[in-house]
Amino acid sequence: GDGPEVARLQSETVQEYINRSNAAGADLDTLAAPLVPPNFKPLFGQPDLSRSFSAAFWQAATQMRDPDSWVLRFLRARKWDVDQAFDMIRKTLAWRVGQAIDEVAYFGESKLHYHTMRTGLAFACTADRLGCPVYVVRVRVNVANNRNILAIKRFLCWQLETSQLLAANSDGRVTILFDLSDVTRENIDLGLVRMLITLLSNYFPETLGIMILFVNSWFFWGLWTVIAPFIDPVVKSKIVMVRATREITPYIDLDQLPSELGGKKPFHYSYIHPTSEENACMADAVARQAAECEYVAATSDYERATRQWLAQPEDTNGADLSSARCASRDRLHQAVVALDPFVRSRTLHHRLGQLKPDYTVLL
């Protein structure tokens, strides 16, 4: 009957969908093997259910080419109040441990909601005039009844975590374009909007560059008067309302705007299924151990270089220590890139050629 079908639609993951399709003899180019090896192991030899402050910090900060940039976001978000910024970092790391964000990245799409991925609720497909990746959110494909709130929370966490790789050229900033064309009441999900704004405000500060709302329905304008008072003032200051394609072009070049939004970029979202082959190296424990040893050594080296750089007297010329710290930073970034395929399953961005193994971004 409808009951089991609806329940499956609400909760079925990408892995479960592929298992079911294989069982039904569907012609999918995937093996029955798990998309991702099931034995997740945290970095730094940490226990499954907890992480030290240091382990959680490095796992978060080293996604950016320069860990200083990650810390800088919190200082900016708290208007250069060091105590408040540190408190925000502490709360963010506690949240990341509680949500097991490293595990979310490890299993990636295999544990994401299949219907959400297939319909393309949100995807990155281009860059704006400042070089920030643009995420298009197609509100018309969102039907809250088609999935549970835990599924959308995991999806948003995974998207924001992955966005840090795509935003390597824009200091971690992204542009979010909400396409509100043809929306109806069933597409509006205030829980999703609240969750996104909470994540951006509390745990991914300074990630949102601007948020463009592309609106062509009177229904939304009525709703906006209800939502607006509850939006964080900092987020609200980054919201731009547009009613026509020409009003988007100050922010995104027409050649870079997808054709479904009236632009000239021939991008049409189509979900390419993951395969177990693309994550095969994750099962290579020896290679992972070697990559992780270098990563651990590189973080220690960078910490040591940072302490030496900070300890120098103010009246000395610290050029040598500064360049030594830069060399340590570069070594750390190379170690992060080498470790990445063992601790993060490949993404749709890798399959589309938007994200290269060396962290080069092509949007």
Side-chain angles (χ1 to χ4, degrees):
D2 286 347
E5 186 65 29
V6 169
R8 194 184 72 212
L9 182 70
Q10 288 179 336
S11 64
E12 188 171 50
T13 65
V14 171
Q15 179 73 70
E16 288 164 351
Y17 170 81
I18 286 176
N19 290 350
R20 186 167 60 83
S21 300
N22 281 332
D27 185 25
L28 270 182
D29 187 24
T30 38
L31 297 173
L35 296 171
V36 179
N39 50 337
F40 166 70
K41 256 180 61 188
L43 290 172
F44 298 101
Q46 295 285 294
D48 270 352
L49 298 175
S50 68
R51 311 281 185 273
S52 67
F53 180 91
S54 173
F57 170 81
W58 286 117
Q59 193 272 327
T62 52
Q63 294 189 93
M64 304 190 72
R65 187 171 287 276
D66 187 341
D68 286 357
S69 299
W70 192 78
V71 174
L72 194 57
R73 291 168 164 197
F74 292 87
L75 282 164
R76 283 201 206 109
R78 289 294 172 260
K79 302 192 166 43
W80 306 99
D81 183 312
V82 173
D83 291 338
Q84 283 190 18
F86 184 77
D87 190 51
M88 191 183 189
I89 287 175
R90 190 179 53 75
K91 287 175 178 169
T92 294
L93 295 180
W95 173 83
R96 291 178 66 89
V97 172
Q99 298 297 321
I101 295 297
D102 51 356
E103 188 182 1
V104 170
Y106 177 87
F107 286 107
E109 291 166 37
S110 71
K111 289 197 174 183
L112 294 186
H113 185 223
Y114 177 71
H115 182 74
T116 302
M117 293 302 293
R118 184 184 66 77
T119 54
L121 171 62
F123 53 87
C125 61
T126 191
D128 66 12
R129 289 183 182 273
L130 295 177
C132 305
V134 175
Y135 277 80
V136 175
V137 181
R138 300 195 289 190
V139 180
R140 66 182 175 278
V141 307
N142 180 58
V143 179
N145 293 340
N146 286 349
R147 43 131 180 87
N148 61 49
I149 197 71
L150 288 176
I152 203 65
K153 184 174 189 178
R154 189 177 185 102
F155 174 75
L156 289 175
C157 289
W158 176 81
Q159 285 280 22
L160 285 168
E161 189 72 355
T162 309
S163 77
Q164 305 306 286
L165 302 183
L166 291 176
N169 303 331
S170 56
D171 207 17
R173 279 197 168 85
V174 303
T175 289
I176 302 178
L177 197 167
F178 275 85
D179 179 8
L180 289 145
S181 53
D182 307 319
V183 296
T184 63
R185 191 177 297 277
E186 74 167 357
N187 302 133
I188 302 298
D189 185 350
L190 296 184
L192 187 159
V193 174
R194 265 198 299 270
M195 192 182 291
L196 176 62
I197 288 173
T198 299
L199 292 173
L200 287 168
S201 303
N202 295 353
Y203 309 121
F204 292 88
E206 300 290 308
T207 294
L208 179 64
I210 56 169
M211 185 181 286
I212 302 171
L213 304 184
F214 187 22
V215 184
N216 72 353
S217 78
W218 288 107
F219 169 69
F220 180 78
W221 288 111
L223 190 71
W224 177 247
T225 56
V226 178
I227 302 172
F230 299 102
I231 295 179
D232 175 79
V234 175
V235 173
K236 195 189 283 187
S237 70
K238 298 177 178 182
I239 293 176
V240 178
M241 295 272 207
V242 300
R243 296 185 190 218
T245 299
R246 67 177 182 279
E247 294 175 22
I248 302 177
T249 53
Y251 310 100
I252 305 168
D253 191 278
L254 200 60
D255 290 337
Q256 291 298 312
L257 192 64
S259 50
E260 70 177 66
L261 294 163
K264 296 180 179 176
K265 183 164 186 167
F267 181 90
H268 298 283
Y269 180 85
S270 177
Y271 184 50
I272 305 167
H273 295 114
T275 67
S276 51
E277 291 91 337
E278 69 189 15
N279 298 314
C281 74
M282 296 176 90
D284 187 339
V286 175
R288 153 139 182 183
Q289 181 68 26
E292 188 172 344
C293 280
E294 168 57 14
Y295 173 74
V296 171
T299 57
S300 298
D301 184 49
Y302 189 60
E303 279 187 28
R304 181 191 50 75
T306 301
R307 285 198 182 93
Q308 288 179 345
W309 176 68
L310 287 170
Q312 66 189 325
E314 283 190 22
D315 56 352
T316 57
N317 176 5
D320 288 347
L321 287 174
S322 186
S323 62
R325 184 170 185 261
C326 287
S328 284
R329 179 199 64 203
D330 294 343
R331 175 192 174 186
L332 177 55
H333 180 66
Q334 287 168 353
V336 169
V337 171
L339 179 64
D340 192 71
F342 299 101
V343 296
R344 183 198 311 271
S345 55
R346 301 302 84 184
T347 68
L348 178 61
H349 309 295
H350 292 93
R351 273 167 251 133
L352 290 172
Q354 298 171 335
L355 199 51
K356 300 297 183 185
D358 66 354
Y359 274 36
T360 303
V361 179
L362 300 171
L363 279 172

